[in-house]
């Protein structure tokens, strides 16, 4: 089974930037996603990207975050700029595979005010 490993989370001040990475252990032909979950909240979609590079974003991050994909490296990225305290959450990578959706273990992003 394909495994996903996220990295790049951390603590940053408001207005700062972080770049998350998600590396898959094998080729992913379906859409890949970034979701996030803050304490007490449901997991929400942040951004998605198809294998061909078509991306879509949640309204709350549009213009600040950018998702990208390197199919040769089986990796997606999330460049997060102009971070806000409201962006604080555990960020999860997801991949659509033949049997459903695979998830990574998550990486914590904390934005201080």
């Amino acid at each position: 089974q394909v495994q996903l490993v996220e990295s790049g989370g951390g603590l940053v001040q408001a207005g700062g930037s972080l770049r998350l990475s998600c590396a898959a252990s094998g080729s992913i032909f379906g859409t890949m996603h970034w979701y996030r979950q803050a304490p007490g909240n449901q997991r929400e979609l942040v951004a998605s990207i198809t294998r061909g590079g078509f991306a879509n974003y949640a309204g709350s991050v549009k213009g600040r975050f950018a998702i990208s994909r390197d199919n040769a490296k089986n990796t997606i990225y999330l460049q997060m700029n102009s971070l806000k305290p409201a962006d604080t959450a555990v960020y999860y990578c997801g991949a659509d595979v033949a049997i459903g959706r695979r998830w990574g273990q998550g990486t914590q992003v904390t934005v201080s005010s």
Side-chain angles (χ1 to χ4, degrees):
Q1 290 182 340
V2 172
Q3 295 188 349
L4 306 174
V5 179
E6 301 99 333
S7 61
L11 174 64
V12 64
Q13 289 188 330
S17 298
L18 282 175
R19 188 192 194 208
L20 305 183
S21 299
C22 170
S25 60
S27 296
I28 303 293
F29 295 95
T31 300
M32 296 187 72
H33 315 267
W34 285 104
Y35 277 72
R36 66 186 180 187
Q37 187 167 18
N41 290 355
Q42 291 187 332
R43 191 173 294 191
E44 63 175 3
L45 176 67
V46 175
S48 297
I49 188 166
T50 66
R51 185 170 177 85
F54 181 82
N56 71 284
Y57 299 90
S60 59
V61 306
K62 197 172 292 185
R64 299 188 298 122
F65 291 10
I67 189 171
S68 59
R69 181 167 180 165
D70 186 334
N71 293 322
K73 295 182 179 179
N74 300 320
T75 300
I76 63 168
Y77 306 93
L78 186 68
Q79 178 66 43
M80 304 186 294
N81 300 324
S82 302
L83 282 161
K84 305 174 182 180
D87 296 316
T88 295
V90 178
Y91 283 69
Y92 296 92
C93 172
D96 293 344
V97 297
I99 58 171
R101 182 169 292 175
R102 299 289 296 173
W103 294 100
Q105 81 289 350
T107 185
Q108 177 70 47
V109 172
T110 302
V111 184
S112 63
S113 57

